[in-house]
Amino acid sequence: EQQVDAARDRIVAALKRIIAAGSGPLSADDQRIKDLWGDAGTPERLREAQDHVRFQLGQADRFRQGLLRSGQWQTHIEEVLTNLGLPAELGVLPHVESSFNPAAYSKVGAAGLWQFMRSTGRRYMRIDSAVDDRMDPFRATEAAAQLLSYNYRLLGTWPLALTAYNHGAEGMRRAKEQLDTDDIVQVLRNYHSPTFGFASRNFYASFLAALTIDRNPQQYFGPIVRYPEAKFQEVPLPAYVGIKALERAVGVSAAELRDLNPALLPAVWSGRRRVPKDYLLRLPLDGTHWTPQLLAQSLRPGEMVAQAPETERRRVHAGETLAKIAAEYGLTAAQLARVNGLSPHARVRPGRFLRVPVSRVSEAQLAALTESSGVTAPAAPAATPVTEQAPAVAAAYSAPASVAASISTSPGEDSPDGAVSAAQAQDESKVDASAVVDSGPRPEPVSKSQAEAVGPALGPSAPPVENTDPTDYSVRPDGSVVVAAGETLEQYARWLRVRVAHLRQLNHQRKGRQVALGHHVKLDFARVSREQFEHRRREYHRQIQAAYFATHRISGTQVYISRSGDSLWGLTRRFDDIPEWLLMQYNPDVRFDELQPRTQITVPLIKAL
């Protein structure tokens, strides 16, 4: 740090001497600095530069180690990209994200080779209390390829798709629409947003630099011999099995199993959780060709179980609410509260533990869990009126009506001021607070240890986007919003704390008529700011999507050509009750309210867990 400060002071002093000398003679070092500016080195510019002398840490050692490690997964990465029809060059992205360190974990929660946030990863991978596929370089590669393909489908160019990997699809679509261009140079130069900072603006350049070095490493490091390809066999588990039983059955030590199966979490290795059914167990190539049948024969009676619904202890972290935790497990706040004998509006303090189901459960199983907890849930408060669309919303999201009811509650037409109850308002304000991520500036690292403490990324570090939803939930300049899937006028009234009747009057809408998907609705921000409204709106959709991906995964896509008579509702039924919002996310430029025959529609393939 002292060396960096001293060097910075020397440069600042040189700039001052250059300005004072004008056109007079300079020392050799000062003349060299002046020459670097060329015609741009006006006194005003040099004076401004005195406050912007910054240090750039060299990362050659980390990049070299990443080159060596990349050999273990290079072939698999190329294979996955090729099978999806993606450019092979995308395979160098882990250099930027993690230096090809599969155990990398950033302070903001991004994990693994490809640095997935938990919420984004759950769209494509298994992430629960037993397995975190983000830590498996093979499963994470398959998920990253799907995400990159999704970004490209939304944005149309690879520079924008790659930038969206860091900045998010919503932000890049907004940049593209505001500037009316898909030229990355124009976007980087002219797009301005509070969240589009130094890291996002330089992400694509970092990728290009990594690609240049990866394709010609000897020019920068001399001879490089990458680690050999990782080789193993995989066998799907026929049932839930404890790790000790697997050690004995396959004759492999826990240490070797742990190296081969980095996605298995500490609860599995400690014996508190079994390795789940259908998990692809990775085993060494030792001459034995393992199959599910052979594995079942090698296990003792009782060591394989079907595993009935169980619960585990989940610690509450600062800023979390019942609703936020419930969404992780595909539950509503009311359901999670019932299991724990709490009020749905109870505040949960950081550090306490909640009982949560470890697998998808039905209402009957939840009732059994409630009984087994030995507590009686307090009576729920009187229900707030539910919108007339609640059953339809529930069907569209493949969730019980109770889920939609708990999400869609809104002020009634005849409520005194259209405001939510005090308890609801307090709970909603807590949700808003939990949705705000601290993304303030962090001190610039001046040493290798400080750089690694900030995060695993080689390039400029910034919190990655937690959601791949491309929908623009922001308020338009004229104070209106575009209606998204599952939204109603009653919800807008609740978020704004105004009468529903007032919004109907503002939009010249008759009572009983619902807002139409994709149409504009005027809003009144007399009681709630635009920023608060946007937070509530995004959190509403985040919770719906989190609940869905707690029990579903995207396994791929297929193309459907629309026919005469097709509608958004009909397509969701045709394709296994896929949620409307998910189908729209994959086709943001399709006008489903005016669907024409022979329109190409990308349909995500869903796997229920």
Side-chain angles (χ1 to χ4, degrees):
E1 290 177 7
Q2 292 173 356
Q3 291 176 18
V4 170
D5 290 342
R8 184 182 287 113
D9 292 342
R10 286 196 300 272
I11 294 170
V12 171
L15 292 172
K16 291 179 178 178
R17 290 194 298 269
I18 294 169
I19 295 171
S23 58
L26 296 170
S27 68
D29 282 345
D30 289 358
Q31 187 64 49
R32 178 183 61 83
I33 293 176
K34 182 179 180 180
D35 291 343
L36 291 173
W37 288 89
D39 294 338
T42 63
E44 294 77 15
R45 185 68 184 89
L46 296 177
R47 194 172 292 110
E48 180 186 359
Q50 294 175 30
D51 297 326
H52 294 89
V53 179
R54 63 185 298 273
F55 169 80
Q56 178 62 54
L57 178 69
Q59 300 282 359
D61 54 345
R62 292 179 68 182
F63 200 100
R64 185 179 187 279
Q65 288 300 313
L67 283 168
L68 298 178
R69 285 191 292 261
S70 67
Q72 300 171 84
W73 312 290
Q74 198 171 34
T75 301
H76 180 73
I77 291 173
E78 292 176 359
E79 194 172 66
V80 169
L81 295 173
T82 300
N83 283 333
L84 284 180
L86 306 181
E89 289 86 350
L90 299 176
V92 308
L93 188 55
H95 280 305
V96 181
E97 290 291 329
S98 66
S99 295
F100 273 92
N101 177 6
Y105 206 97
S106 77
K107 284 191 171 182
V108 296
L113 204 71
W114 295 86
Q115 287 293 282
F116 272 97
M117 294 295 286
R118 184 182 181 92
S119 57
T120 303
R122 291 185 103 171
R123 287 186 166 229
Y124 309 106
M125 294 178 281
R126 177 170 187 153
I127 302 173
D128 53 32
S129 56
V131 176
D132 188 344
D133 278 336
R134 295 178 299 169
M135 311 312 293
D136 185 321
F138 296 91
R139 301 292 87 81
T141 292
E142 293 153 11
Q146 285 203 60
L147 176 56
L148 287 165
S149 178
Y150 171 77
N151 286 348
Y152 180 72
R153 191 179 298 111
L154 295 179
L155 297 161
T157 73
W158 281 114
L160 292 181
L162 280 160
T163 306
Y165 195 92
N166 176 267
H167 184 63
E170 178 188 354
M172 295 317 299
R173 278 182 62 85
R174 188 184 301 120
K176 181 178 176 180
E177 291 170 1
Q178 282 185 13
L179 301 176
D180 193 24
T181 181
D182 56 12
D183 181 352
I184 186 64
V185 175
Q186 296 303 316
V187 170
L188 297 181
R189 287 179 177 172
N190 301 315
Y191 179 58
H192 300 287
S193 165
T195 58
F196 195 62
F198 183 79
S200 296
R201 202 174 296 276
N202 286 276
F203 189 79
Y204 183 60
S206 299
F207 166 79
L208 292 179
L211 178 61
T212 300
I213 299 171
D214 183 90
R215 291 300 187 259
N216 191 20
Q218 62 275 6
Q219 178 179 337
Y220 303 91
F221 298 103
I224 288 285
V225 180
R226 305 187 196 227
Y227 295 165
E229 179 186 359
K231 295 184 178 181
F232 47 80
Q233 57 179 314
E234 289 181 325
V235 54
L237 290 188
Y240 293 85
V241 186
I243 197 68
K244 293 294 184 184
L246 283 175
E247 282 182 61
R248 183 199 55 76
V250 300
V252 178
S253 69
E256 190 171 3
L257 285 176
R258 189 189 292 262
D259 288 341
L260 289 168
N261 297 273
L264 296 178
L265 294 176
V268 171
W269 301 108
S270 67
R272 291 184 289 112
R273 293 291 313 279
R274 296 182 178 90
V275 184
K277 180 182 178 181
D278 295 327
Y279 172 79
L280 284 179
L281 183 68
R282 207 164 286 151
L283 295 172
L285 292 171
D286 58 359
T288 303
H289 177 61
W290 288 98
T291 64
Q293 295 75 20
L294 180 59
L295 185 58
Q297 294 171 8
S298 303
L299 291 164
R300 296 168 180 167
E303 289 182 331
M304 295 192 304
V305 297
Q307 187 170 356
E310 297 177 1
T311 62
E312 66 177 12
R313 282 160 38 104
R314 161 67 155 79
R315 182 186 292 273
V316 178
H317 301 292
E320 291 186 323
T321 64
L322 270 176
K324 188 171 184 179
I325 296 171
E328 292 183 15
Y329 297 87
L331 305 173
T332 66
Q335 290 171 327
L336 182 60
R338 197 167 82 229
V339 172
N340 288 274
L342 300 172
S343 162
H345 300 293
R347 299 185 65 175
V348 286
R349 68 179 187 276
R352 74 162 292 176
F353 287 88
L354 295 175
R355 297 175 70 238
V356 294
V358 299
S359 59
R360 189 179 186 183
V361 293
S362 65
E363 280 290 335
Q365 291 167 327
L366 276 170
L369 290 174
T370 303
E371 293 176 5
S372 68
S373 67
V375 296
T376 302
T384 310
V386 179
T387 73
E388 58 199 271
Q389 278 197 349
V393 172
Y397 296 152
S398 303
S402 58
V403 175
S406 70
I407 293 175
S408 302
T409 51
S410 60
E413 291 278 0
D414 301 321
S415 59
D417 62 358
V420 294
S421 67
Q424 289 172 319
Q426 182 185 35
D427 189 62
E428 189 161 76
S429 67
K430 288 185 290 180
V431 169
D432 287 348
S434 69
V436 178
V437 178
D438 178 15
S439 57
R442 283 183 272 186
E444 185 178 319
V446 297
S447 68
K448 178 180 177 180
S449 60
Q450 288 181 6
E452 291 180 344
V454 168
L458 269 178
S461 180
V465 174
E466 295 191 55
N467 200 335
T468 59
D469 185 354
T471 309
D472 187 354
Y473 295 116
S474 60
V475 178
R476 296 169 61 86
D478 63 359
S480 69
V481 295
V482 178
V483 179
E487 293 182 343
T488 65
L489 204 64
E490 289 81 3
Q491 288 167 331
Y492 296 152
R494 178 186 178 189
W495 297 335
L496 293 166
R497 297 182 183 172
V498 299
R499 291 177 180 271
V500 178
H502 174 59
L503 291 185
R504 291 196 188 282
Q505 183 179 17
L506 191 64
N507 288 275
H508 309 290
Q509 186 184 64
R510 295 192 305 272
K511 184 175 180 179
R513 185 176 180 181
Q514 292 299 326
V515 293
L517 187 68
H519 288 203
H520 291 220
V521 173
K522 294 180 181 179
L523 303 178
D524 184 342
F525 298 97
R527 295 189 175 189
V528 171
S529 71
R530 295 187 180 207
E531 292 75 19
Q532 288 175 313
F533 174 85
E534 289 173 357
H535 279 319
R536 291 168 181 172
R537 191 184 188 198
R538 284 190 171 91
E539 183 64 13
Y540 164 77
H541 288 282
R542 186 199 66 79
Q543 288 192 22
I544 288 177
Q545 294 172 34
Y548 183 77
F549 286 117
T551 55
H552 298 81
R553 298 287 178 274
I554 300 172
S555 60
T557 60
Q558 69 182 68
V559 173
Y560 172 78
I561 305 300
S562 64
R563 277 78 166 172
S564 178
D566 276 340
S567 66
L568 178 60
W569 184 88
L571 291 176
T572 62
R573 295 300 167 276
R574 175 188 287 269
F575 296 106
D576 300 324
D577 287 330
I578 182 175
E580 290 182 356
W581 51 263
L582 184 56
L583 192 59
M584 293 181 68
Q585 284 181 16
Y586 271 77
N587 302 273
D589 297 319
V590 173
R591 289 293 305 269
F592 283 100
D593 56 335
E594 301 176 358
L595 190 59
Q596 300 297 316
R598 301 195 62 77
T599 300
Q600 181 172 303
I601 297 173
T602 301
V603 181
L605 302 175
I606 302 301
K607 177 181 179 182
L609 302 182

